[in-house]
Amino acid sequence: MSELVVEQVTKSFGDEQVLADVSFSVKHGEFVSLLGPSGSGKSTLFHLIGGMYRPDAGTFYLDGNDITGERGAISYTPQSPALFPWRTILENVVLGAEIQGKPDYKKARAMLEKAGLAGYEDAYPHQLSGGMRQRVAFVRALLSPQDFICLDEPFSALDEFTRLEMQKWLLNIWEENRQSILFVTHNIEEALYLSDRVIVLSNKPAAIKKEFTLPFERPRDQELLLSEEFLQWKKAIYKELQVVNHA
């Protein structure tokens, strides 16, 4: 398990400032969600953590090591599953480990079975539904040698029922592994249901507006979504986002 520290990160593209002095941390085995308006810089932050861009100022630390601008330090799953169409499902999920020279096919088959994908190991991505492809992408992230995972709105393209099923599946798998996760979403309920903490970003240039530490025990049941306590937390975060959107 890994700990990420984001320290005073600023980023601009040309004359447009996207991030302004952003600082937060994700502890070992913690599930943290980022919420913010569309275009507020959440995905840019992920690209910076993953080393695809360098910040104009600030530093990223993973387990105390400076990873600013370094690629391959974290596992990143974008909004679309981004599976290679010419590779089988099994070949797709071992890709990250394969790049490091240590694919574990036995473990990969076991993880696919837990994901409800037994029998699809030799299938190709186009033969799977959207929800199944998303599960493949997440299994790939879990099997990658990096302990820290960034998930960028992985369920945004799914219908509501499939999304709920995927959230439940994600939590079940995560409970077994407890890897550190930073999760981007626009959905307040999703953030509340999945997370230990929710960080609200301001409008562009994005800064940390507010942080919510959630009291819900784990493992979580979907009945939580209907509870009065859950509704009260949803209202509090909704009000904060309203303030952000009208700032």
Side-chain angles (χ1 to χ4, degrees), residues 12-80:
S12 297
F13 293 100
D15 295 330
E16 183 180 37
Q17 188 176 14
V18 180
L19 301 173
D21 200 27
V22 172
S23 297
F24 65 92
S25 65
V26 180
K27 299 182 181 69
H28 291 289
E30 193 176 26
F31 198 125
V32 175
S33 286
L34 290 175
L35 271 174
S38 258
S40 62
K42 300 184 295 297
S43 293
T44 297
L45 184 58
F46 269 18
H47 293 152
L48 289 164
I49 295 169
M52 286 174 266
Y53 309 138
R54 285 193 70 93
D56 301 329
T59 314
F60 297 98
Y61 296 99
L62 190 63
D63 294 335
N65 299 312
D66 186 344
I67 61 162
T68 310
E70 181 182 325
R71 295 195 181 198
I74 58 105
S75 177
Y76 172 65
T77 298
Q79 292 179 25
S80 60

Side-chain angles (χ1 to χ4, degrees), residues 31 33-35 167 183 185 187-198 214 220 230 237:
F31 198 125
S33 286
L34 290 175
L35 271 174
Q167 290 168 3
F183 188 93
T185 179
N187 188 302
I188 299 174
E189 285 193 359
E190 183 168 75
L192 283 170
Y193 180 51
L194 296 175
S195 309
D196 298 304
R197 283 187 293 130
V198 174
L214 306 177
R220 292 179 184 170
F230 189 90
I237 293 179

Side-chain angles (χ1 to χ4, degrees), residues 31 135 154-156 158-174 183 185 187-194 220 222 225 230:
F31 198 125
R135 274 181 276 167
F155 309 142
S156 61
L158 304 177
D159 64 77
E160 190 65 20
F161 179 76
T162 306
R163 187 177 187 132
L164 285 170
E165 287 301 305
M166 286 297 299
Q167 290 168 3
K168 184 178 179 182
W169 174 83
L170 169 58
L171 282 183
N172 287 339
I173 294 290
W174 176 76
F183 188 93
T185 179
N187 188 302
I188 299 174
E189 285 193 359
E190 183 168 75
L192 283 170
Y193 180 51
L194 296 175
R220 292 179 184 170
Q222 286 184 333
L225 298 168
F230 189 90

Side-chain angles (χ1 to χ4, degrees), residues 233-245:
W233 280 93
K234 183 178 176 181
K235 285 179 179 177
I237 293 179
Y238 178 75
K239 285 179 182 176
E240 196 63 43
L241 283 170
Q242 272 191 317
V243 171
V244 165
N245 278 315

Side-chain angles (χ1 to χ4, degrees), residues 132-228:
M132 292 167 79
R133 287 194 294 272
Q134 203 58 262
R135 274 181 276 167
V136 172
F138 187 63
V139 170
R140 179 181 59 192
L142 287 174
L143 288 171
S144 292
Q146 303 90 346
D147 284 330
F148 194 93
I149 300 174
C150 287
L151 300 175
D152 191 355
E153 295 192 80
F155 309 142
S156 61
L158 304 177
D159 64 77
E160 190 65 20
F161 179 76
T162 306
R163 187 177 187 132
L164 285 170
E165 287 301 305
M166 286 297 299
Q167 290 168 3
K168 184 178 179 182
W169 174 83
L170 169 58
L171 282 183
N172 287 339
I173 294 290
W174 176 76
E175 288 285 355
E176 293 181 18
N177 297 272
R178 283 296 178 113
Q179 285 162 286
S180 308
I181 291 182
L182 183 60
F183 188 93
V184 160
T185 179
H186 284 102
N187 188 302
I188 299 174
E189 285 193 359
E190 183 168 75
L192 283 170
Y193 180 51
L194 296 175
S195 309
D196 298 304
R197 283 187 293 130
V198 174
I199 296 171
V200 176
L201 294 176
S202 68
N203 252 318
K204 200 179 291 183
I208 304 296
K209 180 67 176 172
K210 192 154 186 179
E211 187 177 303
F212 297 86
T213 299
L214 306 177
F216 311 129
E217 293 181 358
R218 297 190 185 275
R220 292 179 184 170
D221 190 276
Q222 286 184 333
E223 291 298 312
L224 172 66
L225 298 168
L226 304 175
S227 69
E228 182 62 32

